[in-house]
mmCIF file of all heavy atoms in Angstrom:
data_model
loop_
_atom_site.group_PDB
_atom_site.id
_atom_site.type_symbol
_atom_site.label_atom_id
_atom_site.label_comp_id
_atom_site.label_asym_id
_atom_site.label_seq_id
_atom_site.Cartn_x
_atom_site.Cartn_y
_atom_site.Cartn_z
ATOM 1 N N HIS A 89 33.689 -139.130 -90.962
ATOM 2 C CA HIS A 89 32.650 -139.978 -91.540
ATOM 3 C C HIS A 89 33.247 -140.789 -92.688
ATOM 4 O O HIS A 89 33.887 -140.241 -93.586
ATOM 5 C CB HIS A 89 31.488 -139.111 -92.041
ATOM 6 C CG HIS A 89 30.293 -139.900 -92.412
ATOM 7 N ND1 HIS A 89 30.071 -140.364 -93.687
ATOM 8 C CD2 HIS A 89 29.245 -140.331 -91.663
ATOM 9 C CE1 HIS A 89 28.942 -141.047 -93.720
ATOM 10 N NE2 HIS A 89 28.424 -141.034 -92.507
ATOM 11 N N PHE A 90 33.034 -142.115 -92.652
ATOM 12 C CA PHE A 90 33.650 -142.996 -93.635
ATOM 13 C C PHE A 90 33.287 -142.626 -95.072
ATOM 14 O O PHE A 90 34.160 -142.549 -95.932
ATOM 15 C CB PHE A 90 33.293 -144.463 -93.373
ATOM 16 C CG PHE A 90 33.928 -145.381 -94.386
ATOM 17 C CD1 PHE A 90 35.240 -145.781 -94.232
ATOM 18 C CD2 PHE A 90 33.231 -145.796 -95.505
ATOM 19 C CE1 PHE A 90 35.852 -146.591 -95.183
ATOM 20 C CE2 PHE A 90 33.830 -146.605 -96.462
ATOM 21 C CZ PHE A 90 35.147 -147.002 -96.293
ATOM 22 N N ALA A 91 32.016 -142.401 -95.351
ATOM 23 C CA ALA A 91 31.586 -142.129 -96.724
ATOM 24 C C ALA A 91 32.265 -140.880 -97.277
ATOM 25 O O ALA A 91 32.711 -140.865 -98.431
ATOM 26 C CB ALA A 91 30.071 -141.996 -96.791
ATOM 27 N N LYS A 92 32.369 -139.836 -96.478
ATOM 28 C CA LYS A 92 33.033 -138.607 -96.929
ATOM 29 C C LYS A 92 34.521 -138.854 -97.152
ATOM 30 O O LYS A 92 35.097 -138.376 -98.124
ATOM 31 C CB LYS A 92 32.834 -137.491 -95.910
ATOM 32 C CG LYS A 92 31.441 -136.935 -95.896
ATOM 33 C CD LYS A 92 31.326 -135.790 -94.907
ATOM 34 C CE LYS A 92 29.917 -135.257 -94.877
ATOM 35 N NZ LYS A 92 29.779 -134.151 -93.926
ATOM 36 N N ALA A 93 35.147 -139.578 -96.239
ATOM 37 C CA ALA A 93 36.580 -139.862 -96.359
ATOM 38 C C ALA A 93 36.854 -140.735 -97.576
ATOM 39 O O ALA A 93 37.831 -140.524 -98.298
ATOM 40 C CB ALA A 93 37.092 -140.536 -95.087
ATOM 41 N N TRP A 94 35.998 -141.708 -97.837
ATOM 42 C CA TRP A 94 36.156 -142.592 -98.987
ATOM 43 C C TRP A 94 35.913 -141.807 -100.282
ATOM 44 O O TRP A 94 36.680 -141.911 -101.238
ATOM 45 C CB TRP A 94 35.195 -143.772 -98.865
ATOM 46 C CG TRP A 94 35.359 -144.839 -99.896
ATOM 47 C CD1 TRP A 94 36.524 -145.310 -100.435
ATOM 48 C CD2 TRP A 94 34.324 -145.592 -100.513
ATOM 49 N NE1 TRP A 94 36.267 -146.314 -101.335
ATOM 50 C CE2 TRP A 94 34.924 -146.505 -101.406
ATOM 51 C CE3 TRP A 94 32.937 -145.592 -100.384
ATOM 52 C CZ2 TRP A 94 34.184 -147.397 -102.170
ATOM 53 C CZ3 TRP A 94 32.205 -146.500 -101.149
ATOM 54 C CH2 TRP A 94 32.824 -147.382 -102.030
ATOM 55 N N GLY A 95 34.865 -141.010 -100.291
ATOM 56 C CA GLY A 95 34.530 -140.220 -101.475
ATOM 57 C C GLY A 95 35.612 -139.213 -101.847
ATOM 58 O O GLY A 95 35.824 -138.928 -103.025
ATOM 59 N N SER A 96 36.307 -138.694 -100.852
ATOM 60 C CA SER A 96 37.354 -137.698 -101.112
ATOM 61 C C SER A 96 38.715 -138.343 -101.374
ATOM 62 O O SER A 96 39.676 -137.653 -101.692
ATOM 63 C CB SER A 96 37.469 -136.739 -99.925
ATOM 64 O OG SER A 96 37.985 -137.414 -98.789
ATOM 65 N N GLY A 97 38.801 -139.659 -101.210
ATOM 66 C CA GLY A 97 40.056 -140.360 -101.449
ATOM 67 C C GLY A 97 40.974 -140.440 -100.242
ATOM 68 O O GLY A 97 42.079 -140.964 -100.337
ATOM 69 N N ARG A 98 40.524 -139.933 -99.104
ATOM 70 C CA ARG A 98 41.350 -140.021 -97.889
ATOM 71 C C ARG A 98 41.457 -141.453 -97.400
ATOM 72 O O ARG A 98 42.451 -141.839 -96.793
ATOM 73 C CB ARG A 98 40.758 -139.148 -96.777
ATOM 74 C CG ARG A 98 40.959 -137.675 -97.025
ATOM 75 C CD ARG A 98 40.277 -136.826 -96.012
ATOM 76 N NE ARG A 98 40.868 -136.934 -94.685
ATOM 77 C CZ ARG A 98 40.436 -136.246 -93.642
ATOM 78 N NH1 ARG A 98 39.425 -135.405 -93.771
ATOM 79 N NH2 ARG A 98 41.016 -136.396 -92.471
ATOM 80 N N VAL A 99 40.421 -142.241 -97.653
ATOM 81 C CA VAL A 99 40.404 -143.658 -97.283
ATOM 82 C C VAL A 99 40.168 -144.459 -98.556
ATOM 83 O O VAL A 99 39.281 -144.131 -99.345
ATOM 84 C CB VAL A 99 39.275 -143.954 -96.270
ATOM 85 C CG1 VAL A 99 39.140 -145.435 -96.024
ATOM 86 C CG2 VAL A 99 39.515 -143.212 -94.969
ATOM 87 N N ARG A 100 40.984 -145.478 -98.756
ATOM 88 C CA ARG A 100 40.794 -146.372 -99.897
ATOM 89 C C ARG A 100 40.340 -147.731 -99.365
ATOM 90 O O ARG A 100 40.917 -148.254 -98.409
ATOM 91 C CB ARG A 100 42.081 -146.496 -100.696
ATOM 92 C CG ARG A 100 42.465 -145.198 -101.390
ATOM 93 C CD ARG A 100 43.632 -145.323 -102.331
ATOM 94 N NE ARG A 100 44.805 -146.001 -101.807
ATOM 95 C CZ ARG A 100 45.816 -145.392 -101.188
ATOM 96 N NH1 ARG A 100 45.802 -144.105 -100.997
ATOM 97 N NH2 ARG A 100 46.853 -146.092 -100.771
#
Side-chain angles (χ1 to χ4, degrees):
H89 191 268
F90 180 82
K92 287 182 181 180
W94 187 38
S96 68
R98 287 175 68 179
V99 173
R100 293 187 311 269

